[in-house]
Amino acid sequence: MWCVADLDEEYIARMEDVLAIYEKPLSERAPVVCIDEKPVVLHADIRPALPMRPGRVARPDCEYQRCGTANAFCGVEPKAGQHFTKVTPDRSSPQFADYLLEIAEHYPEADTIHLVLDNLSSHTRKALAERFGEKSGGWLWDRFTIHYTPKHGSWLNQAEIEISLFSRQCLGQRRIADLPRLAREARAWNRRTNRRRVKINWRFDRRKARRKFHYKHITIRSEN
């Protein structure tokens, strides 16, 4: 259940922009990639778990030790089933810039990469310019066509679904104590998910949005 903010003109314009991109057919020349970040709390066991025995799974002790936090970038090209998962110490601007570089390198032949993301302060051209320099950073930023979700509209970002998949299938209820292990687990999950070409079947389009929220069609204003 998502709580949708009041729909003003800006909210509707950004929603229509994102939904219009989702309605486009799969294209190698203009892929659509959705990205978001997830904080991960690191935990270590203090006492050994009760071992498995016939008819019973292993049982971890309820006591644990907090070992700090990490960040997981979660990205997906929904219609192609291409996933981009990367674990970093934090979600700072340099980490975001490096992550975008890796995504851009995956599509060397694309005319543009449609990028859906939220309004976090690091999600800007400035982050890339500070990391790679004005010329190189600007060139990298221009590889993308940016589509920001509305404020309080993160439900429109399919990366939210990707985060849910990663949380359930990779992290689960396990305790992971350190960054290197978390990174190994994330890479393994990413490889497995890419081999399976797990796609997202997004069904909410502009027609349904207009019917659901009772507004008329407006002109889309793209931001870059």
PDB file of all heavy atoms in Angstrom, residues 164-192:
ATOM      1  N   SER A 164      13.108  -4.952  -3.456  1.00  0.00           N
ATOM      2  CA  SER A 164      12.352  -6.001  -2.777  1.00  0.00           C
ATOM      3  C   SER A 164      12.869  -7.385  -3.157  1.00  0.00           C
ATOM      4  O   SER A 164      13.029  -8.263  -2.293  1.00  0.00           O
ATOM      5  CB  SER A 164      10.866  -5.875  -3.125  1.00  0.00           C
ATOM      6  OG  SER A 164      10.113  -6.910  -2.525  1.00  0.00           O
ATOM      7  N   LEU A 165      13.158  -7.595  -4.438  1.00  0.00           N
ATOM      8  CA  LEU A 165      13.720  -8.875  -4.873  1.00  0.00           C
ATOM      9  C   LEU A 165      15.061  -9.142  -4.203  1.00  0.00           C
ATOM     10  O   LEU A 165      15.315 -10.235  -3.691  1.00  0.00           O
ATOM     11  CB  LEU A 165      13.889  -8.883  -6.397  1.00  0.00           C
ATOM     12  CG  LEU A 165      12.628  -8.925  -7.253  1.00  0.00           C
ATOM     13  CD1 LEU A 165      12.995  -8.767  -8.720  1.00  0.00           C
ATOM     14  CD2 LEU A 165      11.861 -10.209  -7.028  1.00  0.00           C
ATOM     15  N   PHE A 166      15.921  -8.136  -4.207  1.00  0.00           N
ATOM     16  CA  PHE A 166      17.243  -8.279  -3.603  1.00  0.00           C
ATOM     17  C   PHE A 166      17.130  -8.561  -2.110  1.00  0.00           C
ATOM     18  O   PHE A 166      17.833  -9.427  -1.573  1.00  0.00           O
ATOM     19  CB  PHE A 166      18.047  -6.998  -3.844  1.00  0.00           C
ATOM     20  CG  PHE A 166      19.373  -6.954  -3.146  1.00  0.00           C
ATOM     21  CD1 PHE A 166      20.427  -7.747  -3.574  1.00  0.00           C
ATOM     22  CD2 PHE A 166      19.578  -6.108  -2.063  1.00  0.00           C
ATOM     23  CE1 PHE A 166      21.660  -7.704  -2.934  1.00  0.00           C
ATOM     24  CE2 PHE A 166      20.798  -6.060  -1.421  1.00  0.00           C
ATOM     25  CZ  PHE A 166      21.844  -6.862  -1.849  1.00  0.00           C
ATOM     26  N   SER A 167      16.239  -7.870  -1.429  1.00  0.00           N
ATOM     27  CA  SER A 167      16.085  -8.048   0.014  1.00  0.00           C
ATOM     28  C   SER A 167      15.609  -9.454   0.349  1.00  0.00           C
ATOM     29  O   SER A 167      16.105 -10.084   1.289  1.00  0.00           O
ATOM     30  CB  SER A 167      15.094  -7.014   0.568  1.00  0.00           C
ATOM     31  OG  SER A 167      15.572  -5.707   0.363  1.00  0.00           O
ATOM     32  N   ARG A 168      14.646  -9.956  -0.416  1.00  0.00           N
ATOM     33  CA  ARG A 168      14.080 -11.264  -0.101  1.00  0.00           C
ATOM     34  C   ARG A 168      14.961 -12.412  -0.570  1.00  0.00           C
ATOM     35  O   ARG A 168      15.142 -13.394   0.147  1.00  0.00           O
ATOM     36  CB  ARG A 168      12.688 -11.390  -0.731  1.00  0.00           C
ATOM     37  CG  ARG A 168      11.637 -10.510  -0.056  1.00  0.00           C
ATOM     38  CD  ARG A 168      10.250 -10.725  -0.638  1.00  0.00           C
ATOM     39  NE  ARG A 168      10.098 -10.081  -1.939  1.00  0.00           N
ATOM     40  CZ  ARG A 168       9.978 -10.741  -3.079  1.00  0.00           C
ATOM     41  NH1 ARG A 168      10.010 -12.061  -3.084  1.00  0.00           N
ATOM     42  NH2 ARG A 168       9.819 -10.096  -4.214  1.00  0.00           N
ATOM     43  N   GLN A 169      15.514 -12.285  -1.786  1.00  0.00           N
ATOM     44  CA  GLN A 169      16.221 -13.412  -2.383  1.00  0.00           C
ATOM     45  C   GLN A 169      17.695 -13.468  -2.015  1.00  0.00           C
ATOM     46  O   GLN A 169      18.281 -14.559  -1.975  1.00  0.00           O
ATOM     47  CB  GLN A 169      16.076 -13.360  -3.907  1.00  0.00           C
ATOM     48  CG  GLN A 169      14.634 -13.491  -4.382  1.00  0.00           C
ATOM     49  CD  GLN A 169      14.518 -13.378  -5.888  1.00  0.00           C
ATOM     50  OE1 GLN A 169      15.506 -13.198  -6.607  1.00  0.00           O
ATOM     51  NE2 GLN A 169      13.296 -13.488  -6.397  1.00  0.00           N
ATOM     52  N   CYS A 170      18.308 -12.325  -1.766  1.00  0.00           N
ATOM     53  CA  CYS A 170      19.735 -12.307  -1.443  1.00  0.00           C
ATOM     54  C   CYS A 170      19.971 -12.166   0.053  1.00  0.00           C
ATOM     55  O   CYS A 170      20.667 -12.979   0.654  1.00  0.00           O
ATOM     56  CB  CYS A 170      20.437 -11.170  -2.190  1.00  0.00           C
ATOM     57  SG  CYS A 170      22.217 -11.081  -1.888  1.00  0.00           S
ATOM     58  N   LEU A 171      19.375 -11.154   0.656  1.00  0.00           N
ATOM     59  CA  LEU A 171      19.616 -10.908   2.073  1.00  0.00           C
ATOM     60  C   LEU A 171      18.821 -11.862   2.952  1.00  0.00           C
ATOM     61  O   LEU A 171      19.362 -12.498   3.856  1.00  0.00           O
ATOM     62  CB  LEU A 171      19.273  -9.458   2.416  1.00  0.00           C
ATOM     63  CG  LEU A 171      20.031  -8.383   1.642  1.00  0.00           C
ATOM     64  CD1 LEU A 171      19.569  -7.007   2.084  1.00  0.00           C
ATOM     65  CD2 LEU A 171      21.525  -8.537   1.817  1.00  0.00           C
ATOM     66  N   GLY A 172      17.530 -11.961   2.708  1.00  0.00           N
ATOM     67  CA  GLY A 172      16.688 -12.831   3.503  1.00  0.00           C
ATOM     68  C   GLY A 172      16.763 -12.480   4.984  1.00  0.00           C
ATOM     69  O   GLY A 172      16.835 -11.316   5.370  1.00  0.00           O
ATOM     70  N   GLN A 173      16.788 -13.514   5.820  1.00  0.00           N
ATOM     71  CA  GLN A 173      16.858 -13.326   7.266  1.00  0.00           C
ATOM     72  C   GLN A 173      18.274 -13.592   7.798  1.00  0.00           C
ATOM     73  O   GLN A 173      18.483 -13.656   9.004  1.00  0.00           O
ATOM     74  CB  GLN A 173      15.876 -14.277   7.952  1.00  0.00           C
ATOM     75  CG  GLN A 173      14.422 -14.049   7.558  1.00  0.00           C
ATOM     76  CD  GLN A 173      13.933 -12.657   7.926  1.00  0.00           C
ATOM     77  OE1 GLN A 173      14.204 -12.169   9.029  1.00  0.00           O
ATOM     78  NE2 GLN A 173      13.217 -12.012   7.018  1.00  0.00           N
ATOM     79  N   ARG A 174      19.230 -13.734   6.882  1.00  0.00           N
ATOM     80  CA  ARG A 174      20.600 -14.042   7.301  1.00  0.00           C
ATOM     81  C   ARG A 174      21.276 -12.838   7.938  1.00  0.00           C
ATOM     82  O   ARG A 174      20.913 -11.702   7.691  1.00  0.00           O
ATOM     83  CB  ARG A 174      21.431 -14.502   6.103  1.00  0.00           C
ATOM     84  CG  ARG A 174      20.939 -15.761   5.436  1.00  0.00           C
ATOM     85  CD  ARG A 174      21.801 -16.106   4.249  1.00  0.00           C
ATOM     86  NE  ARG A 174      21.825 -15.025   3.267  1.00  0.00           N
ATOM     87  CZ  ARG A 174      22.791 -14.878   2.359  1.00  0.00           C
ATOM     88  NH1 ARG A 174      23.813 -15.691   2.340  1.00  0.00           N
ATOM     89  NH2 ARG A 174      22.734 -13.894   1.489  1.00  0.00           N
ATOM     90  N   ARG A 175      22.280 -13.129   8.725  1.00  0.00           N
ATOM     91  CA  ARG A 175      23.115 -12.073   9.285  1.00  0.00           C
ATOM     92  C   ARG A 175      24.431 -12.032   8.521  1.00  0.00           C
ATOM     93  O   ARG A 175      25.143 -13.021   8.425  1.00  0.00           O
ATOM     94  CB  ARG A 175      23.361 -12.326  10.774  1.00  0.00           C
ATOM     95  CG  ARG A 175      22.102 -12.190  11.617  1.00  0.00           C
ATOM     96  CD  ARG A 175      22.331 -12.636  13.037  1.00  0.00           C
ATOM     97  NE  ARG A 175      21.085 -12.592  13.802  1.00  0.00           N
ATOM     98  CZ  ARG A 175      20.896 -13.217  14.953  1.00  0.00           C
ATOM     99  NH1 ARG A 175      21.887 -13.940  15.477  1.00  0.00           N
ATOM    100  NH2 ARG A 175      19.739 -13.138  15.578  1.00  0.00           N
ATOM    101  N   ILE A 176      24.720 -10.855   7.997  1.00  0.00           N
ATOM    102  CA  ILE A 176      25.966 -10.640   7.257  1.00  0.00           C
ATOM    103  C   ILE A 176      26.760  -9.590   8.017  1.00  0.00           C
ATOM    104  O   ILE A 176      26.265  -8.493   8.272  1.00  0.00           O
ATOM    105  CB  ILE A 176      25.686 -10.193   5.820  1.00  0.00           C
ATOM    106  CG1 ILE A 176      24.888 -11.285   5.088  1.00  0.00           C
ATOM    107  CG2 ILE A 176      26.972  -9.877   5.077  1.00  0.00           C
ATOM    108  CD1 ILE A 176      24.493 -10.923   3.677  1.00  0.00           C
ATOM    109  N   ALA A 177      28.002  -9.939   8.371  1.00  0.00           N
ATOM    110  CA  ALA A 177      28.732  -9.120   9.338  1.00  0.00           C
ATOM    111  C   ALA A 177      29.640  -8.075   8.722  1.00  0.00           C
ATOM    112  O   ALA A 177      30.021  -7.118   9.399  1.00  0.00           O
ATOM    113  CB  ALA A 177      29.549 -10.031  10.259  1.00  0.00           C
ATOM    114  N   ASP A 178      30.039  -8.244   7.442  1.00  0.00           N
ATOM    115  CA  ASP A 178      31.043  -7.330   6.905  1.00  0.00           C
ATOM    116  C   ASP A 178      30.776  -7.026   5.443  1.00  0.00           C
ATOM    117  O   ASP A 178      30.058  -7.752   4.745  1.00  0.00           O
ATOM    118  CB  ASP A 178      32.446  -7.905   7.084  1.00  0.00           C
ATOM    119  CG  ASP A 178      32.606  -9.283   6.458  1.00  0.00           C
ATOM    120  OD1 ASP A 178      32.639  -9.373   5.222  1.00  0.00           O
ATOM    121  OD2 ASP A 178      32.657 -10.270   7.213  1.00  0.00           O
ATOM    122  N   LEU A 179      31.381  -5.936   4.991  1.00  0.00           N
ATOM    123  CA  LEU A 179      31.171  -5.444   3.630  1.00  0.00           C
ATOM    124  C   LEU A 179      31.651  -6.424   2.560  1.00  0.00           C
ATOM    125  O   LEU A 179      30.945  -6.650   1.570  1.00  0.00           O
ATOM    126  CB  LEU A 179      31.850  -4.084   3.473  1.00  0.00           C
ATOM    127  CG  LEU A 179      31.576  -3.322   2.176  1.00  0.00           C
ATOM    128  CD1 LEU A 179      30.112  -2.898   2.108  1.00  0.00           C
ATOM    129  CD2 LEU A 179      32.479  -2.105   2.084  1.00  0.00           C
ATOM    130  N   PRO A 180      32.853  -7.040   2.691  1.00  0.00           N
ATOM    131  CA  PRO A 180      33.298  -7.969   1.643  1.00  0.00           C
ATOM    132  C   PRO A 180      32.334  -9.131   1.420  1.00  0.00           C
ATOM    133  O   PRO A 180      32.062  -9.509   0.281  1.00  0.00           O
ATOM    134  CB  PRO A 180      34.662  -8.453   2.160  1.00  0.00           C
ATOM    135  CG  PRO A 180      35.148  -7.338   3.018  1.00  0.00           C
ATOM    136  CD  PRO A 180      33.922  -6.796   3.682  1.00  0.00           C
ATOM    137  N   ARG A 181      31.810  -9.698   2.505  1.00  0.00           N
ATOM    138  CA  ARG A 181      30.868 -10.805   2.320  1.00  0.00           C
ATOM    139  C   ARG A 181      29.574 -10.329   1.682  1.00  0.00           C
ATOM    140  O   ARG A 181      29.021 -10.997   0.798  1.00  0.00           O
ATOM    141  CB  ARG A 181      30.574 -11.492   3.654  1.00  0.00           C
ATOM    142  CG  ARG A 181      29.643 -12.700   3.466  1.00  0.00           C
ATOM    143  CD  ARG A 181      29.172 -13.292   4.757  1.00  0.00           C
ATOM    144  NE  ARG A 181      28.110 -14.251   4.520  1.00  0.00           N
ATOM    145  CZ  ARG A 181      27.337 -14.763   5.456  1.00  0.00           C
ATOM    146  NH1 ARG A 181      27.512 -14.406   6.723  1.00  0.00           N
ATOM    147  NH2 ARG A 181      26.389 -15.627   5.154  1.00  0.00           N
ATOM    148  N   LEU A 182      29.088  -9.178   2.112  1.00  0.00           N
ATOM    149  CA  LEU A 182      27.877  -8.637   1.505  1.00  0.00           C
ATOM    150  C   LEU A 182      28.084  -8.413   0.015  1.00  0.00           C
ATOM    151  O   LEU A 182      27.200  -8.716  -0.795  1.00  0.00           O
ATOM    152  CB  LEU A 182      27.489  -7.330   2.197  1.00  0.00           C
ATOM    153  CG  LEU A 182      26.273  -6.594   1.628  1.00  0.00           C
ATOM    154  CD1 LEU A 182      25.027  -7.450   1.725  1.00  0.00           C
ATOM    155  CD2 LEU A 182      26.072  -5.255   2.340  1.00  0.00           C
ATOM    156  N   ALA A 183      29.247  -7.898  -0.362  1.00  0.00           N
ATOM    157  CA  ALA A 183      29.539  -7.669  -1.776  1.00  0.00           C
ATOM    158  C   ALA A 183      29.568  -8.985  -2.548  1.00  0.00           C
ATOM    159  O   ALA A 183      29.057  -9.069  -3.673  1.00  0.00           O
ATOM    160  CB  ALA A 183      30.866  -6.930  -1.922  1.00  0.00           C
ATOM    161  N   ARG A 184      30.170 -10.031  -1.980  1.00  0.00           N
ATOM    162  CA  ARG A 184      30.212 -11.338  -2.646  1.00  0.00           C
ATOM    163  C   ARG A 184      28.804 -11.895  -2.838  1.00  0.00           C
ATOM    164  O   ARG A 184      28.468 -12.419  -3.905  1.00  0.00           O
ATOM    165  CB  ARG A 184      31.059 -12.320  -1.838  1.00  0.00           C
ATOM    166  CG  ARG A 184      32.546 -12.024  -1.839  1.00  0.00           C
ATOM    167  CD  ARG A 184      33.335 -13.218  -1.331  1.00  0.00           C
ATOM    168  NE  ARG A 184      32.941 -13.603   0.025  1.00  0.00           N
ATOM    169  CZ  ARG A 184      33.498 -13.114   1.135  1.00  0.00           C
ATOM    170  NH1 ARG A 184      34.463 -12.204   1.028  1.00  0.00           N
ATOM    171  NH2 ARG A 184      33.112 -13.510   2.327  1.00  0.00           N
ATOM    172  N   GLU A 185      27.994 -11.796  -1.802  1.00  0.00           N
ATOM    173  CA  GLU A 185      26.629 -12.311  -1.889  1.00  0.00           C
ATOM    174  C   GLU A 185      25.825 -11.547  -2.938  1.00  0.00           C
ATOM    175  O   GLU A 185      25.055 -12.127  -3.704  1.00  0.00           O
ATOM    176  CB  GLU A 185      25.947 -12.202  -0.525  1.00  0.00           C
ATOM    177  CG  GLU A 185      26.570 -13.032   0.572  1.00  0.00           C
ATOM    178  CD  GLU A 185      26.272 -14.518   0.438  1.00  0.00           C
ATOM    179  OE1 GLU A 185      25.448 -14.881  -0.424  1.00  0.00           O
ATOM    180  OE2 GLU A 185      26.861 -15.317   1.194  1.00  0.00           O
ATOM    181  N   ALA A 186      26.009 -10.225  -2.996  1.00  0.00           N
ATOM    182  CA  ALA A 186      25.275  -9.408  -3.967  1.00  0.00           C
ATOM    183  C   ALA A 186      25.714  -9.745  -5.391  1.00  0.00           C
ATOM    184  O   ALA A 186      24.875  -9.831  -6.297  1.00  0.00           O
ATOM    185  CB  ALA A 186      25.493  -7.933  -3.674  1.00  0.00           C
ATOM    186  N   ARG A 187      27.008  -9.921  -5.602  1.00  0.00           N
ATOM    187  CA  ARG A 187      27.493 -10.274  -6.947  1.00  0.00           C
ATOM    188  C   ARG A 187      26.952 -11.626  -7.388  1.00  0.00           C
ATOM    189  O   ARG A 187      26.554 -11.807  -8.543  1.00  0.00           O
ATOM    190  CB  ARG A 187      29.022 -10.275  -6.979  1.00  0.00           C
ATOM    191  CG  ARG A 187      29.658  -8.897  -6.943  1.00  0.00           C
ATOM    192  CD  ARG A 187      31.132  -8.966  -7.315  1.00  0.00           C
ATOM    193  NE  ARG A 187      31.885  -9.776  -6.375  1.00  0.00           N
ATOM    194  CZ  ARG A 187      32.515  -9.291  -5.305  1.00  0.00           C
ATOM    195  NH1 ARG A 187      32.459  -7.995  -5.044  1.00  0.00           N
ATOM    196  NH2 ARG A 187      33.208 -10.079  -4.503  1.00  0.00           N
ATOM    197  N   ALA A 188      26.933 -12.587  -6.466  1.00  0.00           N
ATOM    198  CA  ALA A 188      26.419 -13.917  -6.801  1.00  0.00           C
ATOM    199  C   ALA A 188      24.939 -13.855  -7.165  1.00  0.00           C
ATOM    200  O   ALA A 188      24.485 -14.470  -8.138  1.00  0.00           O
ATOM    201  CB  ALA A 188      26.644 -14.882  -5.630  1.00  0.00           C
ATOM    202  N   TRP A 189      24.177 -13.100  -6.366  1.00  0.00           N
ATOM    203  CA  TRP A 189      22.753 -12.960  -6.667  1.00  0.00           C
ATOM    204  C   TRP A 189      22.542 -12.253  -8.002  1.00  0.00           C
ATOM    205  O   TRP A 189      21.684 -12.655  -8.797  1.00  0.00           O
ATOM    206  CB  TRP A 189      22.058 -12.164  -5.556  1.00  0.00           C
ATOM    207  CG  TRP A 189      20.602 -11.945  -5.816  1.00  0.00           C
ATOM    208  CD1 TRP A 189      19.574 -12.813  -5.562  1.00  0.00           C
ATOM    209  CD2 TRP A 189      20.003 -10.790  -6.411  1.00  0.00           C
ATOM    210  NE1 TRP A 189      18.380 -12.271  -5.954  1.00  0.00           N
ATOM    211  CE2 TRP A 189      18.603 -11.029  -6.477  1.00  0.00           C
ATOM    212  CE3 TRP A 189      20.501  -9.578  -6.877  1.00  0.00           C
ATOM    213  CZ2 TRP A 189      17.711 -10.097  -6.998  1.00  0.00           C
ATOM    214  CZ3 TRP A 189      19.610  -8.645  -7.404  1.00  0.00           C
ATOM    215  CH2 TRP A 189      18.243  -8.906  -7.463  1.00  0.00           C
ATOM    216  N   ASN A 190      23.334 -11.239  -8.278  1.00  0.00           N
ATOM    217  CA  ASN A 190      23.199 -10.490  -9.520  1.00  0.00           C
ATOM    218  C   ASN A 190      23.494 -11.382 -10.729  1.00  0.00           C
ATOM    219  O   ASN A 190      22.773 -11.352 -11.733  1.00  0.00           O
ATOM    220  CB  ASN A 190      24.149  -9.288  -9.505  1.00  0.00           C
ATOM    221  CG  ASN A 190      23.807  -8.262 -10.555  1.00  0.00           C
ATOM    222  OD1 ASN A 190      22.986  -7.393 -10.357  1.00  0.00           O
ATOM    223  ND2 ASN A 190      24.447  -8.363 -11.713  1.00  0.00           N
ATOM    224  N   ARG A 191      24.555 -12.188 -10.646  1.00  0.00           N
ATOM    225  CA  ARG A 191      24.873 -13.100 -11.749  1.00  0.00           C
ATOM    226  C   ARG A 191      23.746 -14.102 -11.981  1.00  0.00           C
ATOM    227  O   ARG A 191      23.360 -14.363 -13.128  1.00  0.00           O
ATOM    228  CB  ARG A 191      26.181 -13.841 -11.457  1.00  0.00           C
ATOM    229  CG  ARG A 191      27.426 -12.990 -11.574  1.00  0.00           C
ATOM    230  CD  ARG A 191      28.673 -13.863 -11.614  1.00  0.00           C
ATOM    231  NE  ARG A 191      28.807 -14.636 -10.381  1.00  0.00           N
ATOM    232  CZ  ARG A 191      29.502 -14.241  -9.322  1.00  0.00           C
ATOM    233  NH1 ARG A 191      30.127 -13.064  -9.338  1.00  0.00           N
ATOM    234  NH2 ARG A 191      29.596 -14.995  -8.253  1.00  0.00           N
ATOM    235  N   ARG A 192      23.240 -14.668 -10.901  1.00  0.00           N
ATOM    236  CA  ARG A 192      22.167 -15.659 -11.014  1.00  0.00           C
ATOM    237  C   ARG A 192      20.911 -15.039 -11.608  1.00  0.00           C
ATOM    238  O   ARG A 192      20.252 -15.623 -12.480  1.00  0.00           O
ATOM    239  CB  ARG A 192      21.882 -16.251  -9.638  1.00  0.00           C
ATOM    240  CG  ARG A 192      20.828 -17.347  -9.633  1.00  0.00           C
ATOM    241  CD  ARG A 192      20.790 -18.052  -8.290  1.00  0.00           C
ATOM    242  NE  ARG A 192      20.392 -17.154  -7.216  1.00  0.00           N
ATOM    243  CZ  ARG A 192      21.208 -16.709  -6.268  1.00  0.00           C
ATOM    244  NH1 ARG A 192      22.488 -17.065  -6.262  1.00  0.00           N
ATOM    245  NH2 ARG A 192      20.768 -15.910  -5.306  1.00  0.00           N
TER     246      ARG A 192
END
